[in-house]
Structure formats: C-alpha cells, structure tokens
Amino acid sequence: MKSTLPFLALTGCSLLLSPSADACTGITLKSKDGATIVARTIEWGGSDLNSRYVIVPRGYTQRSYVPGGTKDGMAFTARYGFVGIAVEQEEFVAEGLNEAGLSAGLFYFPRTGQYKDYVLSEKDKSISDLQLVSWILGECATVDEVKAALENVRVIAIDPRASTVHWRFADTSGRQIVLEIIGGEVRFYDNPLGVLTNSPELSWHLTNLNNYVNLFPGSAPSQRLGAIELNSLGAGSGFLGLPGDITPPSRFVRAAFYQATAPQQQTALKTVLQALQILNSFDIPVGVEFAQGQVPSDIPSATQWTSATDMGNRMIYFRTMYDSTIRSIDLNKIDFSRVKYRAVALDPVKQQPVQAIKIQ
C-alpha cells in the first residue's frame, strides 16, 4: 500500500504530529427554483494531495483497507454509479455524488471522534473511514438508507495514529445529516442549518452560535456615548465581532452568517456560483498554520480544492489551488452501466492559467 501519510495528515495526524491546516468548511444554499447546493473546501498545507476525480460504474467492486495496509476488509459492490473527488489515493474519496442524487463527504474531526477497534473476526464487515464515502455512494440513494446501512458495519481506522473524520450526507429531498462516531457510538444528527466544519461535535457548534446573537447584516445605526456621537467607520459594522481566524468554531460561525445573509438566487447554477464565491472567504494561505520559515511544501494554497454539488440536477463542480477555473461533471451524461472505472488527476498541469488580453 502506498504511504497514506499526506492524507492522514489532512485528517489530523502526520507521523510527527505536526500542526497543519486542518480546515474543511461546508455550507448549503437553496435556490428559488428548489435546488439544494452543498459546497465545501478541503485543506492540507503539508503537501500536494494529488487529488483526482474518479468515475465508478455500477457493479464495480472494491475492498476496504484494514490496519497494516492490506485490502482485507469488507468487500462492497456499487449498486449506483458515482463520481468522487479522491485525495492521495484513488480509493480515498473525500466528496462525491451518485446517480441517485446522494451527496457524501468527509470532514476532519480530530480529538473528538473515536471509532471501535478493529477486530479480525469482523473484518468482513469492517470499512475504513477513508473509504466510507465510496461505499455509501455506491450503496445508498437517500439519507435514510445511509442510516440503515451503518447499522451493519464497523467503521475502522487504517492507522491508529491518524485523526478521525465525520461525514455529511444530503439527498435530493434537501435533507441533510451528519454522522459522527464518538466513543465507538454511531451518532446521526439532522443538520437543517447545513453548515459543517471540524471539531468539536456538531451540537457544540450549534450551541456556540448563541454567543453571536448580536450579529446582523449591514451597518449599525449611529448612537450617542455620553456627549459623543458614534458612527460606523465603514460598511459592515453590524457584524463587528464576527470571528476571522481559521479555527473550526470561528469558521462555523462565519460560514453560518455568510450563508444566512446571502441573497437567494433564482437558479441552481447561480446558486452554485454564489456558494463558490462565499467559500473564497475560507481559502487558507499556505503559510499561516506553520511557524515562520517552516512551510513544508511549495504549493500555492492550503485550500487544495473547493467543490459544489447540485444533487437534483446531478452535477458536481470544482476548482483547485492550481486552476481557479470552475469545472463540472454532469452525471446525466454518464452511462454508469457501460462506463469504465477511471481515476483522473484534477490538474494535469499544475499551474494557474493566465489569459493574456490582446490589444489591437
């Protein structure tokens, strides 16, 4: 098995336990014509994750990795074809959409989650956390089916030194759930807000929003402080106090505020573009999470890619740290009964295109 160190670092644990950009931010927007769009970032500042998109046909069989690096866990065959974006290894799909309209993605979840230990006698029903998205996308059409499927499997870690993750699932009804495994217990939460970041657990983040009850869009009105009149120095004073750092609690609050105040767009495509614009605010410069002069890798950003998924129209969009052009894959144009499995680099050329304007 190829070393999974970069991905394990993404999910919270390099072998040296060094700090890194451990930030994934997810939002959800709804259009006036009824579409639900889920969008997210994925970060890791330690190295290039060599991300790729994978196309998985119906009937394609995979097997889970187990501790020790062998493919000796649960075998699973796709009932539904899907498209996913994988990191470091093509088996490790971090975000994807299947032909039934189910969206699934994993998010970093350090020091909060805890899976059950791997038990050799139960290897045939053990699925690695890094492959759960692939299994679910091939198996389920709705969030209710996701819940039922998890009753019969054991989610395990490939490397006990790595962090846990948690997962977001959404279907064409617009319903969204979050799966967290804490103390070995599988917990599902309905997520009507549609925002997700990292640790701690989702319920904590929702409670923490009450600390920002004073925020509102626009500018604060003038008021007097004794003999002095106070006026806003610029637009946006209504959300003074909105946290600007990159910690998961702060990003959750900021994402919730930006999402809630975004004007609703007419169509699904306009909503996709709006979601990607909002997530521009969560791009992380590659150097900020490391001490001065200790940036370990020559990559342009710690935010390696950003995606947006339109479940109803079966479209997945993405842009990357190497190419900010928005690209899309239309699942309606894929015959999942005939297409061959493939894994293709998101960026065959790792350089931002620059278009020169010709002046005549």
Side-chain angles (χ1 to χ4, degrees):
M1 175 182 175
K2 183 182 175 184
S3 169
T4 60
L5 174 57
F7 186 81
L8 297 183
L10 165 75
T11 52
C13 179
S14 73
L15 296 183
L16 298 177
L17 299 177
S18 60
S20 64
D22 43 24
C24 305
T25 302
I27 61 174
T28 305
L29 296 174
K30 296 181 184 292
S31 66
K32 290 182 180 179
D33 63 4
T36 299
I37 307 301
V38 293
R40 57 89 53 84
T41 66
I42 197 161
E43 279 85 11
W44 164 236
S47 62
D48 187 339
L49 290 171
N50 294 310
S51 299
R52 65 212 79 179
Y53 70 82
V54 296
I55 298 178
V56 179
R58 291 181 218 136
Y60 186 78
T61 298
Q62 302 183 62
R63 185 174 289 275
S64 177
Y65 285 103
V66 297
T70 60
K71 286 185 176 180
D72 200 30
M74 185 179 84
F76 50 102
T77 300
R79 297 172 54 207
Y80 301 102
F82 65 89
V83 173
I85 303 178
V87 287
E88 179 57 19
Q89 294 186 200
E90 61 191 60
E91 299 94 341
F92 299 160
V93 173
E95 184 71 26
L97 173 68
N98 72 13
E99 60 180 318
L102 181 75
S103 167
L106 63 80
F107 289 66
Y108 173 87
F109 195 49
R111 295 175 294 279
T112 303
Q114 181 183 15
Y115 312 137
K116 290 183 178 178
D117 294 333
Y118 173 62
V119 177
L120 182 61
S121 62
E122 297 191 13
K123 67 178 184 178
D124 290 339
K125 62 176 184 179
S126 295
I127 180 78
S128 77
D129 57 350
L130 310 185
Q131 292 170 273
L132 187 138
V133 167
S134 290
W135 167 56
I136 288 294
L137 289 175
E139 181 67 20
C140 301
T142 67
V143 294
D144 286 330
E145 289 184 9
V146 173
K147 287 185 173 183
L150 264 293
E151 294 176 359
N152 301 312
V153 302
R154 190 182 190 99
V155 180
I156 61 168
I158 297 174
D159 188 327
R161 296 167 293 184
S163 166
T164 54
V165 297
H166 58 176
W167 299 263
R168 176 182 69 181
F169 305 101
D171 62 28
T172 56
S173 72
R175 187 177 170 203
Q176 184 178 141
I177 60 173
V178 171
L179 164 63
E180 297 178 345
I181 304 177
I182 301 174
E185 177 188 353
V186 173
R187 304 179 184 181
F188 285 102
Y189 304 90
D190 284 314
N191 189 15
L193 183 62
V195 173
L196 190 63
T197 57
N198 313 109
S199 297
E201 61 271 23
L202 176 62
S203 58
W204 184 97
H205 285 292
L206 293 174
T207 300
N208 183 54
L209 288 176
N210 290 283
N211 288 319
Y212 299 90
V213 68
N214 59 297
L215 300 181
F216 59 92
S219 298
S222 300
Q223 58 179 314
R224 299 197 67 82
L225 182 64
I228 301 175
E229 183 178 53
L230 304 181
N231 296 283
S232 297
L233 296 175
S237 57
F239 50 100
L240 277 171
L242 186 73
D245 61 84
I246 65 171
T247 62
S250 293
R251 284 184 289 104
F252 192 98
V253 173
R254 201 158 68 250
F257 185 79
Y258 291 163
Q259 174 183 297
T261 56
Q264 190 175 32
Q265 300 298 305
Q266 189 66 46
T267 66
L269 178 57
K270 287 185 176 181
T271 305
V272 165
L273 299 177
Q274 182 184 50
L276 293 173
Q277 288 285 358
I278 290 172
L279 289 176
N280 282 337
S281 302
F282 296 87
D283 281 358
I284 297 177
V286 71
V288 299
E289 75 279 14
F290 298 100
Q292 189 71 32
Q294 295 184 14
V295 177
S297 182
D298 182 18
I299 55 177
S301 173
T303 303
Q304 301 217 1
W305 48 264
T306 303
S307 68
T309 301
D310 176 356
M311 285 88 69
N313 292 306
R314 310 299 196 270
M315 296 283 294
I316 187 166
Y317 302 78
F318 66 90
R319 63 164 185 252
T320 73
M321 63 180 174
Y322 290 114
D323 188 347
S324 57
T325 303
I326 300 169
R327 288 156 275 174
S328 66
I329 300 175
D330 185 347
L331 275 67
N332 299 294
K333 296 181 179 180
I334 302 173
D335 184 346
F336 286 102
S337 68
R338 299 173 61 88
V339 72
K340 301 296 184 182
Y341 175 90
R342 68 191 66 173
V344 181
L346 295 188
D347 294 297
V349 178
K350 296 184 176 182
Q351 176 64 49
Q352 172 65 46
V354 177
Q355 182 178 0
I357 298 176
K358 296 181 179 179
I359 307 297
Q360 296 182 349

